[in-house]
Amino acid sequence: MVRLTEGRTADVVSLMGRGVVITTIIVSGADTDVSDELRERAEGLIESGAADAVCFTPGGGGQWVLAASTDVLLVDAAALQRIDPEVISLIGGNLPGSDPRTAMLDLQWRLNLNGHRVLALDGHATPRRMATVGDEQTRVAAVMSALTVLPGSALRGPLTTVAELYLLSGALRSASLDTSVLDLQRSPGGDEVGSLSVPASAIAAGLGLDSALAGVQAATRSRASVQLRRRVPDRALTPLMQPALAHLLGAESTADRTRLSQLVDVCGVEPALTEPLHVLVVAPETGPARDRAERLAEQLDTGMTVRLVDSDTGQVLEGGTHVERPLHELPAWADVIVLVAATFDDLPGAARADAAVVVDLSTLDVVTWLLEGPTSDHRADALQTMVSRADLVLAADARQRDLLLGALAGQVRVNAAVYDEDPSLTSLVRTDPDGRALAAFCRRPVRAADSNLPPFVPPRKPGDMALAVKYLREGGPSVLAERVAGRIKRVYKHHTPRKTR
Amino acid sequence: MTDLGTAHLTPGPHTVREGVVSVILVNFHGADDTIVCLKAFDDVDWPADKLELIVVDNDSGDGQAERIAQACPTARVIESGGNLGFAGGCNLGVDHAEGQYVAFLNNDARPGRRWIAAAVETMESDPTIRAVASKVLDWDGKLVDYVDGSLAWFGMGYKREAERPDDGSYEVGRDVLFGTGAAFFIVAEDYREVGGFDERFFMFYEDVDLGWRLNLLGRRVRYVPESVAYHKHHVTMRTFGAYRETYLLERNALLSMVKNYSDETLALVLPAALALSVRRTTEMGGLDPASLSDMALTSQITVPKLAMSGLFGIDYLVSLLESMGETRRDLQAKRSRTDAELFSLFRNAIEPAYPLPRYLTAHADLVTALDLDRVFSPAPRILVVTGDPLSGLLAGPAIRAWEISVALSTTHPVRLVSTTGVEDIAHERFEIHYAPGDELVRQTEWADVIVFQGFLMEVAWWLVDSDKIIVADVYDPMHLEQLEQAKDLGEDGRRAAINNVTAVLNRQLARADYMLCASTKQRDLWIGQLAALGRVNALTVGPDRSFSTLVGVVPFGLPDESPVQRRHGIRGVIPGIGMDDKVVIWGGGVYNWFDPLTLVKAIDRLAKRHTDIRLYFMGLKNPNPGVPDMRIAWETQQLAESLGLVGRHVFFNSGWVPYSERSDHLLDADIGVSTHFDHVETEFSFRTRILDYLWTGLPIVATRGDSFGDILDEEGIGRGVPAEDIDALEKALEEMLYDPAAAAEARKNVIRYAKQFRWSQVLAPLMDFAAAPHRAADHLLINPTVEPPEPPGAPTLGGYARVVARSLRAGGVREVAHRARGFVSRRWRSGE
């Protein structure tokens, strides 16, 4: 059963009837046997906006997933816009050395990073068939590449370490290889022969790790691009991360998953995978904004760490206890920053932080606030900075919403990326009298659709030399001469004074 | 549960005998070597009653334990009952030891005469040193085995200097990350507290791990070159095959990393180290993974054991993860030094160490991908830039840049750069470059931190928008200086000069992440100017409101070494100045803000009573061609000439005395003098020449009103006189020159007072900043660099346009013309 989360209902309305195009992506070489009924159900979920992509996996059961083993993925084509096309090619097995199954997992993870949701329905997924050492090398290299690209800085190292140890030691154990034969401590020797006979399966993963090193540079470049444009913080995804890691590493059996879980535990990764989201709320010491901030903190009390910053005194509270941290260190700590009737001046560095930012002006009349400020243009500047950076703007009423929409438009925030994702623009600016939308956003923060887009580069007018080459290629010297002559005439006309009567 | 790491090191209690050294040798099938080693202690300079020799026999069999006991009855032989490896054997030995110090010596090594004494003296002389790494040479004492411990980022210790001739280059003691277990001392109590050698290592790198651990816990390990041992290398392992050694090295490197790196560093480097271990060993074993790709997974394959050593080592790590995790948690909770603090002890962490082509490619890729060069860089790279020429003739700014470079280069990679010229000058610790135009781009690109004086921001405009950490050395309030210096330029010229220099300073203050000034009074001036630029805000004002995070007080300093006179610079050298004359020295240039005229007049009066008085001007021509000849210098010569003093009582050096030779001149003087007019420049200036007087122990006579003039009487180091007061000056000079008691008292006080101005002390604020350099908080958080810095490669038309615009703003068309001239002449010189 598909479960709609709070805050999503409104989006469904806005998405209806917008002409969703669904793309079906199939893993190269998979046995695809998705029934018509299942397919229709998946399409319905995507069309309604309840999910951005649907996969089919044993035991799927309508759960949100970060990445699950599947042969087929149905996905809203709009969600693929920020995805590197190379990933799709890898799934289709169209590139040398590709591992389509790992690429399919990679794609789902990337969709999640971009704020799209992948739903798993119960279905068949073709088991991997590994026949040669080369197959295993390719798989391991693809897994290591995915783990280089996908997790954020805090998790990349620990997850990669766990993956390496799992893959290497698992293969050695499966083959029952005695790895103490080289150890003077455990195997005092007497055997001076310099070689060993081992099952190829025992060392294939190790050799795959070696192969992965060839892709380090490419994966690092890919990582830079993916991490720059991601819209969702890792802490919003960690509840889904361990099952995804299991799929990625091929830990499908209960025994394998137990071993993986033990490694996660013993390597000390468990705390990072269960760390709740960090929400930083900035509000004045008293008044309606303060009340709203405290209500939010109460609503988010379970499962999230909320710090409340007093914009008048700079004091920081967490669970009612004073926190001794310099103010400017807080933005880096936060996954979500909520400014309730506060500005970026109250939290230095927040405008540059990676966190999603909510500008909550729902306790203010914006015009009055602007006019009652200092006689300088300080508040206008502050508003400009806020609407330029905000991932969600909350307004007091419909009129205020229109006003803020104007401010957003003035900063080019009403743009194709935002509009295409949500033509109602509700996901960018809305009213929220009871604070439910705000709480929902904090539980699942997603940066705005236009955040971290590559800069717009206007097309350049071709230079004279480029035009000359173009004309030469198109028609030879005669065409070039003709064009030059034409241009001279135009220039001459332009500069000749017109005769008037 | 038995701790696998310290199974043979019991908690005690242990008997400890003060002053006794317990030497521990581990024997495994090496009785002949062990006996040679033990007998060598007969020649060691150390009292027998303070020496305990312990041999742990690792179940060698063949009656080896008995043979050793018989041959060396003074040694206690402990039979371990099994092969505990080097680590377990040492731990068992320490468990039986009673010495205040324990020493480990390989059984195939022998001690030098002062092996023990030098080590113990070092530990007793400094209680923060808890362990000593001996110098280890080969058996013949010709080649180096160990003089320093280096560590590659992937956990492998190595000895960079191994097999180099012992040519006298390694005779200076220093802190090291680890010593070699072949010859190593440690306070027994510390050894037991930190858990001794980790027995899970069995052998190899247990010494690296111990040293790394000691350093993490804040206990220093010191290389002591006088403590020498001689070693036959790896006699034991040769018997067992290379793959066993490689296996132990690979796995133990990983174990060391897992224990000792911080969470952050470990997360970054461990996955890379695991993959590299596989590649390194498959390549060492001649196994090409690509060649096996068509092989069925179900098939059986014969592989070299060596090729498996990495994989099997990783499997050992997996089997120990739980116990290693416990050790790691305990150790990390107790650590008192950060990884970054220890990286300098790694020496060169980005050392691949194995010359294998495929491995080297992977290593290079990983170093680039993870930016390991930056992570492990022992310290940020610092560029010191001066607008003064650098040569043997150094004036104030260049001296300061030089001394800053000397100090910073003890802890950081440093380059000293002049934008006007470099000639015949070098330093062993840092590079010196002349950096005009594009060369300046290259030099600034190299640096993480840039310390500069003067006009750098004008010529290196790309720095303004860059992320470089900029330290502006504003020890010279140039705009105040212009009030006097520009008087010769006419009204318009003076206005332009003051405006220009103020704009230059504003640009520096607006961009700098940290500033240096020469006195607390100067600091107040700069804080006022910073406030006007919006730089005084909650992020720059520290909790104590001291502004010390933004502006550091670094006066001019004195060399740490005492001055030495190699030859006379004045007496018997300058015609007219004899060996017994009374010499008054003017120890620097003659600029418009000084008042040498009053001084010459005072000398004229004194000369009538004291025929032996001599005034010597040390330099009229500043070596920086940018410093103009000034009116006052000419007037001074005219006055002295008109009074008939030149060549009799007043002497001018028309050139400049080389920096390294200034002590030859100063030590020929009886007193130092500095007189100036009373104005605002004086109030905020810091006279470097006064420091030279302090350095050479000269009593000082100077005008009051600047940072030194006001404390001369207070500190008893000379006499302060009012500006332009000939009577007072005459009296003060006479007292300091002709009252032996007063002069002696002043000299004594000068020596006391001068100590606080040693460069090593005055540069402390800069050294502190350099230890953890950072962008100013308000730049980072309020004025972020929104645009990427302009590419500093070949300047573009846009770049030139920007320079022109800035020059126009700064100084109008004249400034543009001046820059254009400079540009053309630079291009001309460089042949472009």
Side-chain angles (χ1 to χ4, degrees):
Chain A
M1 191 64 194
V2 179
R3 293 176 302 182
L4 296 173
T5 57
E6 190 180 2
R8 193 74 187 171
T9 326
D11 298 344
V12 173
V13 178
S14 70
L15 293 169
M16 288 289 277
R18 66 186 170 113
V20 172
V21 176
I22 295 174
T23 303
T24 304
I25 299 174
I26 302 171
V27 169
S28 169
D31 310 330
T32 53
D33 61 348
V34 180
S35 66
D36 288 348
E37 186 195 340
L38 206 54
R39 171 181 284 275
E40 278 171 21
R41 192 175 152 209
E43 286 171 350
L45 287 164
I46 297 171
E47 277 177 358
S48 70
D52 298 296
V54 176
C55 67
F56 309 96
T57 192
Q63 302 290 324
W64 297 118
V65 292
L66 183 60
S69 299
T70 184
D71 292 343
V72 180
L73 183 79
L74 269 60
V75 56
D76 182 345
L80 293 174
Q81 279 182 357
R82 278 192 176 198
I83 301 291
D84 181 354
E86 191 181 277
V87 181
I88 316 289
S89 297
L90 287 169
I91 297 172
N94 297 329
L95 293 174
S98 60
D99 177 42
R101 297 200 162 277
T102 302
M104 177 61 104
L105 294 162
D106 184 335
L107 170 63
Q108 296 169 57
W109 197 317
R110 288 188 200 214
L111 286 169
N112 274 282
L113 292 181
N114 290 348
H116 301 298
R117 300 190 126 192
V118 182
L119 194 82
L121 296 182
D122 237 338
H124 171 76
T126 311
R128 283 179 177 276
R129 281 186 290 272
M130 311 298 289
T132 65
V133 171
D135 293 341
E136 182 65 353
Q137 283 176 294
T138 304
R139 178 180 81 98
V140 171
V143 169
M144 300 320 298
S145 171
L147 286 174
T148 301
V149 173
L150 301 169
S153 335
L155 280 172
R156 175 178 66 161
L159 291 185
T160 312
T161 302
V162 165
E164 288 177 346
L165 298 179
Y166 174 85
L167 291 167
L168 265 58
S169 64
L172 293 168
R173 269 175 215 192
S174 299
S176 304
L177 197 63
D178 176 11
T179 59
S180 70
V181 288
L182 306 185
D183 188 351
L184 200 60
Q185 185 178 4
R186 295 179 290 172
S187 167
D191 172 17
E192 298 312 318
V193 179
S195 59
L196 273 177
S197 178
V198 298
S201 61
I203 62 167
L207 302 182
L209 199 56
D210 184 302
S211 311
L213 286 169
V216 163
Q217 297 286 32
T220 305
R221 279 194 299 275
S222 188
R223 171 183 179 75
S225 161
V226 167
Q227 295 298 324
L228 178 70
R229 294 181 195 172
R230 63 181 296 166
R231 294 170 61 192
V232 177
D234 265 354
R235 274 190 284 267
L237 301 174
T238 43
L240 308 175
M241 213 167 266
Q242 200 162 331
L245 187 65
H247 285 297
L248 200 59
L249 297 178
E252 304 293 356
S253 71
T254 310
D256 284 347
R257 291 201 174 202
T258 305
R259 197 165 67 78
L260 177 61
S261 181
Q262 283 167 348
L263 269 177
V264 165
D265 186 33
V266 82
C267 289
V269 188
E270 185 70 25
L273 292 179
T274 52
E275 175 76 10
L277 273 162
H278 296 175
V279 180
L280 193 63
V281 186
V282 188
E285 192 175 12
T286 54
R290 180 67 180 192
D291 297 343
R292 185 169 164 92
E294 285 179 355
R295 270 203 311 280
L296 174 68
E298 280 166 24
Q299 277 179 285
L300 299 177
D301 197 26
T302 48
M304 311 189 89
T305 308
V306 183
R307 287 184 181 169
L308 203 53
V309 181
D310 185 330
S311 58
D312 293 324
T313 64
Q315 284 208 331
V316 185
L317 295 173
E318 182 182 317
T321 311
H322 190 65
V323 178
E324 288 292 345
R325 289 289 294 272
L327 215 52
H328 64 267
E329 285 182 10
L330 292 174
W333 169 88
D335 295 308
V336 190
I337 295 169
V338 184
L339 303 173
V340 189
T343 71
F344 282 122
D345 291 342
D346 298 317
L347 191 63
R352 292 186 83 201
D354 290 333
V357 171
V358 182
V359 171
D360 186 345
L361 301 173
S362 59
T363 54
L364 295 176
D365 179 303
V366 175
V367 174
T368 308
W369 179 75
L370 283 172
L371 294 178
E372 287 182 353
T375 47
S376 70
D377 58 358
H378 176 77
R379 280 197 170 161
D381 281 349
L383 180 67
Q384 194 182 72
T385 314
M386 286 196 290
V387 295
S388 298
R389 172 61 180 81
D391 295 295
L392 174 65
V393 178
L394 298 176
D397 53 35
R399 183 176 164 261
Q400 295 290 325
R401 188 249 182 205
D402 294 347
L403 195 146
L404 289 168
L405 193 58
L408 286 158
Q411 298 305 309
V412 208
R413 294 299 312 282
V414 179
N415 53 41
V418 173
Y419 176 76
D420 287 351
E421 187 169 277
D422 173 15
S424 74
L425 301 181
T426 310
S427 58
L428 182 64
V429 55
R430 64 182 297 166
T431 58
D432 182 33
D434 55 9
R436 287 176 63 189
L438 175 57
F441 184 88
C442 292
R443 288 197 186 94
R444 185 167 183 273
V446 181
R447 296 286 308 271
D450 58 346
S451 60
N452 298 324
L453 282 180
F456 174 70
V457 182
R460 277 195 171 169
K461 204 176 160 188
D464 290 346
M465 187 52 75
L467 282 173
V469 172
K470 178 174 177 274
Y471 298 145
L472 269 173
R473 284 170 63 101
E474 285 173 354
S478 59
V479 171
L480 175 63
E482 187 186 317
R483 300 277 184 170
V484 170
R487 189 158 170 191
I488 291 170
K489 269 186 207 163
R490 284 198 300 277
V491 172
Y492 178 73
K493 268 186 195 166
H494 182 72
H495 287 286
T496 308
R498 292 194 176 186
K499 288 179 184 166
T500 53
R501 291 185 183 182
Chain B
M1 189 177 88
T2 308
D3 185 334
L4 296 173
T6 56
H8 296 93
L9 191 65
T10 61
H14 295 89
T15 307
V16 175
R17 288 195 283 144
E18 281 295 304
V20 171
V21 176
S22 302
V23 180
I24 292 152
L25 284 79
V26 177
N27 181 66
F28 185 57
H29 297 295
D32 291 343
D33 286 328
T34 304
I35 290 165
V36 170
C37 177
L38 289 169
K39 286 192 180 297
F41 279 89
D42 294 344
D43 298 328
V44 169
D45 286 342
W46 188 254
D49 62 331
K50 297 281 185 191
L51 180 64
E52 180 183 39
L53 294 173
I54 296 174
V55 178
V56 176
D57 182 63
N58 261 346
D59 201 22
S60 307
D62 304 337
Q64 291 211 355
E66 294 78 15
R67 267 182 61 207
I68 295 166
Q70 241 169 14
C72 309
T74 53
R76 285 170 66 192
V77 180
I78 299 164
E79 296 193 50
S80 67
N83 186 2
L84 309 183
F86 180 73
C90 287
N91 282 354
L92 185 64
V94 176
D95 207 46
H96 287 78
E98 295 182 350
Q100 182 187 353
Y101 304 98
V102 288
F104 305 102
L105 190 63
N106 271 14
N107 70 319
D108 56 348
R110 71 172 199 275
R113 289 188 76 88
R114 287 202 15 97
W115 181 60
I116 298 176
V120 172
E121 281 164 20
T122 301
M123 289 188 281
E124 287 185 346
S125 68
D126 184 342
T128 64
I129 297 172
R130 309 306 292 174
V132 163
S134 301
K135 179 182 190 178
V136 184
L137 301 174
D138 70 351
W139 196 251
D140 303 324
K142 290 180 180 159
L143 301 179
V144 166
D145 182 359
Y146 171 95
V147 290
D148 192 5
S150 303
L151 187 70
W153 62 271
F154 44 86
M156 288 194 158
Y158 66 103
K159 297 179 278 194
R160 278 183 307 167
E161 301 80 2
E163 297 187 14
R164 290 185 194 166
D166 180 31
D167 58 2
S169 306
Y170 313 107
E171 298 308 313
V172 179
R174 63 188 147 190
D175 282 8
V176 292
L177 187 69
F178 61 89
T180 169
F184 186 72
F185 291 79
I186 182 170
V187 177
E189 188 185 359
D190 287 61
Y191 187 83
R192 294 184 178 112
E193 270 179 21
V194 305
F197 286 130
D198 190 328
E199 295 179 28
R200 290 166 293 196
F201 285 57
F202 194 64
M203 63 194 298
F204 296 134
Y205 292 156
E206 67 289 287
D207 47 5
V208 176
D209 169 63
L210 176 65
W212 194 349
R213 205 166 355 126
L214 286 165
N215 273 293
L216 275 189
L217 296 169
R219 301 169 197 224
R220 289 168 64 200
V221 182
R222 186 87 178 160
Y223 163 69
V224 177
E226 297 82 15
S227 170
V228 182
Y230 304 87
H231 187 209
K232 298 176 198 170
H233 205 44
H234 283 189
V235 166
T236 310
M237 271 318 282
R238 278 180 197 152
T239 331
F240 298 99
Y243 58 84
R244 288 191 189 276
E245 180 173 344
T246 304
Y247 167 81
L248 290 167
L249 293 173
E250 292 291 334
R251 74 163 210 203
N252 291 354
L254 296 174
L255 297 183
S256 288
M257 293 172 74
V258 168
K259 284 175 71 175
N260 295 302
Y261 273 134
S262 68
D263 287 354
E264 195 183 345
T265 313
L266 188 67
L268 181 74
V269 297
L270 183 59
L274 292 167
L276 261 192
S277 173
V278 174
R279 171 155 293 188
R280 191 165 46 234
T281 49
T282 50
E283 192 169 2
M284 282 164 72
L287 183 68
D288 179 6
S291 68
L292 305 175
S293 56
D294 292 333
M295 179 175 282
L297 279 170
T298 49
S299 57
Q300 198 74 11
I301 175 176
T302 300
V303 290
K305 284 179 177 171
L306 191 56
M308 291 295 100
S309 49
L311 269 177
F312 290 5
I314 293 171
D315 199 53
Y316 180 74
L317 169 65
V318 173
S319 71
L320 281 185
L321 273 177
E322 203 160 338
S323 100
M324 294 301 293
E326 269 177 43
T327 310
R328 172 178 170 74
R329 278 189 292 280
D330 182 50
L331 178 60
Q332 295 298 322
K334 290 178 186 160
R335 68 183 296 165
S336 65
R337 297 176 78 188
T338 63
D339 282 354
E341 285 175 291
L342 296 185
F343 285 158
S344 63
L345 296 179
F346 283 35
R347 308 304 185 211
N348 178 21
I350 312 299
E351 165 61 55
Y354 290 83
L356 306 163
R358 286 181 58 248
Y359 163 75
L360 287 175
T361 304
H363 182 272
D365 285 352
L366 286 169
V367 168
T368 308
L370 301 177
D371 206 9
L372 295 181
D373 258 329
R374 288 275 165 196
V375 175
F376 285 90
S377 171
R381 292 182 286 214
I382 300 181
L383 187 72
V384 181
V385 186
T386 177
D388 260 27
L390 294 166
S391 68
L393 308 169
L394 296 178
I399 292 167
R400 189 168 165 92
W402 176 268
E403 294 295 349
I404 284 173
S405 303
V406 169
L408 288 172
S409 63
T410 57
T411 49
H412 294 69
V414 168
R415 285 183 187 173
L416 172 61
V417 152
S418 164
T419 52
T420 46
V422 174
E423 197 180 336
D424 297 333
I425 191 165
H427 194 279
E428 59 182 10
R429 283 204 306 272
F430 53 88
E431 296 174 25
I432 301 171
H433 297 277
Y434 168 44
D438 293 348
E439 179 58 22
L440 189 57
V441 175
R442 278 189 283 280
Q443 294 297 340
T444 54
E445 273 204 318
W446 170 84
D448 302 301
V449 180
I450 297 167
V451 183
F452 79 98
Q453 319 153 330
F455 294 79
L456 181 70
M457 286 290 154
E458 315 310 300
V459 289
W461 41 265
W462 56 87
L463 292 177
V464 175
D465 292 334
S466 78
D467 284 333
K468 303 286 181 190
I469 297 166
I470 304 287
V471 179
D473 186 2
V474 286
Y475 81 101
D476 177 6
M478 298 187 290
H479 44 355
L480 304 186
E481 196 174 278
Q482 286 303 311
L483 296 169
E484 279 299 319
Q485 187 175 340
K487 272 183 176 166
D488 303 345
L489 301 179
E491 192 182 330
D492 288 347
R494 191 174 176 215
R495 261 184 80 179
I498 293 165
N499 283 353
N500 288 347
V501 172
T502 306
V504 165
L505 285 168
N506 277 344
R507 211 164 294 133
Q508 296 178 14
L509 298 180
R511 173 57 182 84
D513 297 296
Y514 187 61
M515 279 146 278
L516 305 177
C517 65
S519 64
T520 49
K521 188 169 176 62
Q522 261 192 14
R523 191 171 64 181
D524 292 341
L525 172 80
W526 294 125
I527 287 167
Q529 197 161 341
L530 284 162
L533 294 166
R535 296 292 312 275
V536 174
N537 52 55
L539 295 168
T540 53
V541 180
D544 55 353
R545 309 235 157 203
S546 68
F547 296 95
S548 58
T549 54
L550 196 60
V551 187
V553 178
V554 174
F556 229 81
L558 303 170
D560 287 2
E561 312 80 44
S562 299
V564 176
Q565 189 169 39
R566 281 176 286 271
R567 61 177 186 84
H568 286 288
I570 301 173
R571 294 178 190 277
V573 177
I574 305 295
I577 304 181
M579 297 306 286
D580 298 323
D581 288 338
K582 295 289 184 187
V583 177
V584 179
I585 195 162
W586 178 277
V590 181
Y591 310 127
N592 282 359
W593 47 91
F594 286 119
D595 174 22
L597 304 174
T598 303
L599 175 62
V600 169
K601 288 172 191 164
I603 293 290
D604 182 46
R605 285 191 192 175
L606 284 167
K608 294 183 171 61
R609 296 198 294 280
H610 303 286
T611 55
D612 59 349
I613 193 166
R614 303 287 183 271
L615 168 63
Y616 180 72
F617 287 90
M618 211 163 89
L620 290 185
K621 181 67 192 162
N622 190 295
N624 186 350
V627 176
D629 293 335
M630 293 191 200
R631 174 186 41 81
I632 196 78
W634 183 81
E635 286 178 7
T636 308
Q637 291 173 84
Q638 291 300 307
L639 176 65
E641 196 73 55
S642 69
L643 294 172
L645 298 173
V646 176
R648 291 175 56 239
H649 295 287
V650 178
F651 301 82
F652 296 97
N653 173 15
S654 56
W656 196 262
V657 173
Y659 185 53
S660 58
E661 293 172 22
R662 70 197 192 288
S663 56
D664 295 343
H665 291 69
L666 290 159
L667 289 170
D668 267 351
D670 293 289
I671 61 170
V673 65
S674 176
T675 48
H676 52 73
F677 296 111
D678 192 9
H679 49 63
V680 69
E681 188 278 339
T682 299
E683 204 181 323
F684 289 98
S685 70
F686 191 89
R687 304 276 170 235
T688 56
R689 62 195 62 189
I690 301 284
L691 286 166
D692 276 341
Y693 303 157
L694 291 174
W695 181 48
T696 46
L698 297 180
I700 300 158
V701 174
T703 316
R704 291 193 194 117
D706 65 10
S707 46
F708 274 121
D710 292 341
I711 49 89
L712 295 175
D713 295 283
E714 200 178 301
E715 295 288 343
I717 59 176
R719 297 291 176 264
V721 295
E724 298 180 72
D725 186 336
I726 302 177
D727 294 341
L729 183 58
E730 180 189 352
K731 189 177 162 215
L733 289 170
E734 189 164 35
E735 185 188 4
M736 286 294 108
L737 284 170
Y738 297 102
D739 179 343
E745 179 66 18
R747 281 183 183 272
K748 193 179 82 187
N749 291 333
V750 164
I751 291 164
R752 169 189 53 77
Y753 181 71
K755 281 181 185 158
Q756 64 185 295
F757 290 101
R758 300 278 182 206
W759 277 113
S760 56
Q761 292 200 26
V762 299
L763 283 169
L766 177 60
M767 297 301 282
D768 289 347
F769 180 83
H774 52 272
R775 293 295 312 276
D778 59 339
H779 278 327
L780 210 57
L781 301 171
I782 295 175
N783 306 314
T785 306
V786 262
E787 290 173 13
E790 287 187 36
T796 59
L797 275 178
Y800 289 131
R802 202 165 155 184
V803 173
V804 169
R806 283 188 182 188
S807 306
L808 268 173
R809 274 202 305 277
V813 177
R814 194 176 293 177
E815 179 72 10
V816 177
H818 171 74
R819 284 181 186 281
R821 241 189 348 264
F823 175 79
V824 170
S825 65
R826 281 199 301 275
R827 295 273 151 159
W828 179 260
R829 279 201 300 271
S830 63
E832 288 179 45

